[in-house]
Amino acid sequence: AALLPRPARGLSDRLYCGRRVCYEVLGVSRQASKAEIARAYRQLARQYHPDRYRGEPAGGEGSGAQAAHEKFLLIAAAYETLKDEETRKDYDYMLDHPEEYYRHYYHYYRRRLAPKVDVTIVILVTVCAISVFQFFSWWSSYNEAINYLASVPKYRIQATEIARQQGLLNKTKEKGKNRRSKEEIREEEEEIIKDIIKNKIDIKGGYQKPKIYDILLFQILLAPFYWCKYIVWYCWWIYCFTIKGQEYGVEEKLYIIRRYMKMSQSQFDSLEDHQKETFLERQLWIRENYEVYKREQEEELKKKMAMDPRWKRYRRWMKNEGPGRLTFIDD
């Protein structure tokens, strides 16, 4: 019954000025301009504003002030309805088509509940904030990786040797006013070693050096370019290897292997070179060879887990006790 069309009831108590016509409330015609509507509103507001109303009570103490307050609210509602062109257009349509009951409710509450701030601005600010946080988070991870590598003896010794060869650590000590403390010299040498590690070591994965084009904002802006680039590349792939039947190159073979392994580009790049050479030697770009390799890796993983003391302890616990039993055994 609620979904059936409702009969025309004219003006509604919960929309705009209720049962009153907003034009009549302000004392203007439907053809009145915005200036005329504003002028009428100011005159009525000065007359019925609760702080300035000086009329006599009509029915007991305070009833005149209460009536003036309600009148002022009705005047304000009428002005809010007619001062905006879009809202006034919806209201005029309701006056001309009172039978479209649900349409009037939809337009009225859609405008009342619509956000005051443009959604585009909110999305843009959110994306920019995420991008800034993302960039500084990557820088923090990258600096953590450099500090860790600087503490590893293998890389530290190599970086120190390179710094000595370049004469960065063999500078003569300053004398007089320019003389520095041992702590300052140690900090400078530490920065030199870290700079050499940054230049000599290419860190991959989540700790790689951040690039401005990798943040979310630039990824969104460059998305059309990436899509066009991918479509062109895909058409080239179909033409070369499907239609013409050309043999795969090294890059194409590694790409197919990476797709079979379901790894991202950064994950695949983080693998050692000898692992990639093993993939190529075993011809894993062929589906049958990759399936054999996958089964071998699964069997090897099962053997490692079977020989692992912690895994044996876990299986013994699951067999004898299980997760549903209370126990004081720590492991």
Side-chain angles (χ1 to χ4, degrees):
L3 296 177
L4 294 176
R6 298 186 58 161
R9 297 186 178 181
L11 301 177
S12 174
D13 292 329
R14 290 178 288 179
L15 301 182
Y16 304 107
C17 299
R19 294 290 179 176
R20 299 284 303 276
V21 179
C22 294
Y23 292 102
E24 296 178 357
V25 172
L26 297 180
V28 297
S29 63
R30 290 185 59 174
Q31 291 74 30
S33 62
K34 293 182 65 174
E36 294 175 345
I37 292 174
R39 191 182 309 115
Y41 168 72
R42 286 194 296 268
Q43 293 177 356
L44 294 173
R46 284 194 297 267
Q47 180 180 355
Y48 290 98
H49 195 281
D51 295 338
R52 306 183 64 178
Y53 182 72
R54 295 295 182 268
E56 294 295 331
E61 184 178 357
S63 60
Q66 180 66 25
H69 178 69
E70 295 176 357
K71 178 70 173 179
F72 177 77
L73 294 179
L74 182 61
I75 293 169
Y79 179 66
E80 290 294 327
T81 301
L82 301 180
K83 73 174 183 178
D84 183 70
E85 292 293 337
E86 297 297 326
T87 308
R88 183 178 180 181
K89 186 184 299 184
D90 292 340
Y91 183 70
D92 290 341
Y93 186 87
M94 187 186 75
L95 294 179
D96 297 332
H97 304 84
E99 70 279 358
E100 299 182 16
Y101 183 81
Y102 294 109
R103 183 181 187 277
H104 306 323
Y105 261 87
Y106 167 74
H107 283 282
Y108 176 76
Y109 284 105
R110 181 176 66 88
R111 295 192 183 280
R112 284 180 62 90
L113 301 178
K116 302 301 181 182
V117 182
D118 190 1
V119 178
T120 306
I121 298 177
V122 175
I123 295 175
L124 181 61
V125 172
T126 304
V127 170
C128 291
I130 294 175
S131 301
V132 171
F133 174 78
Q134 186 181 30
F135 186 74
F136 283 102
S137 176
W138 282 353
W139 263 114
S140 176
S141 300
Y142 177 69
N143 290 329
E144 288 180 5
I146 295 299
N147 293 333
Y148 170 75
L149 293 176
S151 64
V152 176
K154 173 184 176 181
Y155 300 110
R156 187 176 184 86
I157 293 173
Q158 294 179 3
T160 304
E161 186 63 27
I162 294 173
R164 287 199 179 115
Q165 293 175 1
Q166 295 178 357
L168 299 176
L169 298 181
N170 297 328
K171 295 181 179 180
T172 58
K173 297 182 179 180
E174 297 85 350
K175 297 180 180 180
K177 295 182 179 179
N178 297 327
R179 186 175 182 180
R180 296 174 298 169
S181 62
K182 293 182 179 180
E183 186 67 26
E184 293 176 345
I185 296 175
R186 191 180 301 110
E187 291 178 358
E188 182 181 358
E189 292 177 353
E190 189 71 20
E191 291 299 325
I192 292 173
I193 292 174
K194 290 181 180 179
D195 290 338
I196 294 176
I197 292 176
K198 290 178 182 179
N199 297 327
K200 296 297 181 180
I201 297 181
D202 186 16
I203 303 176
K204 301 292 185 180
Y207 292 93
Q208 64 183 356
K209 187 175 182 179
K211 299 178 181 178
I212 193 68
Y213 295 106
D214 292 336
I215 63 176
L216 179 61
L217 178 61
F218 281 92
Q219 289 292 313
I220 294 175
L221 295 177
L222 297 176
F225 169 75
Y226 290 142
W227 274 107
C228 294
K229 185 178 179 180
Y230 174 77
I231 292 173
V232 172
W233 173 85
Y234 187 76
C235 295
W236 169 82
W237 183 282
I238 295 296
Y239 174 75
C240 292
F241 304 112
T242 303
I243 298 177
K244 297 183 66 177
Q246 296 181 2
E247 294 185 0
Y248 295 125
V250 176
E251 295 297 329
E252 288 76 18
K253 293 176 182 178
L254 292 176
Y255 169 75
I256 296 174
I257 294 172
R258 180 174 67 84
R259 291 293 301 272
Y260 285 161
M261 293 183 174
K262 298 180 180 179
M263 299 175 65
S264 64
Q265 186 65 50
S266 60
Q267 290 175 331
F268 194 77
D269 291 340
S270 63
L271 298 178
E272 299 291 339
D273 292 337
H274 67 86
Q275 291 180 290
K276 298 179 182 178
E277 293 176 359
T278 303
F279 298 158
L280 295 175
E281 291 175 359
R282 299 196 57 174
Q283 298 182 353
L284 297 187
W285 66 88
I286 301 175
R287 188 73 185 187
E288 292 77 11
N289 296 343
Y290 173 73
E291 294 296 336
V292 174
Y293 173 81
K294 183 179 179 181
R295 287 194 295 269
E296 292 177 358
Q297 293 296 314
E298 291 175 353
E299 292 296 329
E300 185 177 353
L301 179 61
K302 289 180 181 179
K303 291 180 181 179
K304 289 182 178 180
M305 295 179 66
M307 299 301 295
D308 189 355
R310 290 177 298 178
W311 179 246
K312 288 182 179 180
R313 214 161 42 237
Y314 174 74
R315 287 187 301 170
R316 193 182 309 117
W317 175 73
M318 289 292 294
K319 180 180 179 181
N320 298 330
E321 301 171 0
R325 178 178 174 182
L326 294 176
T327 177
F328 287 99
I329 301 176
D330 294 336
D331 57 352

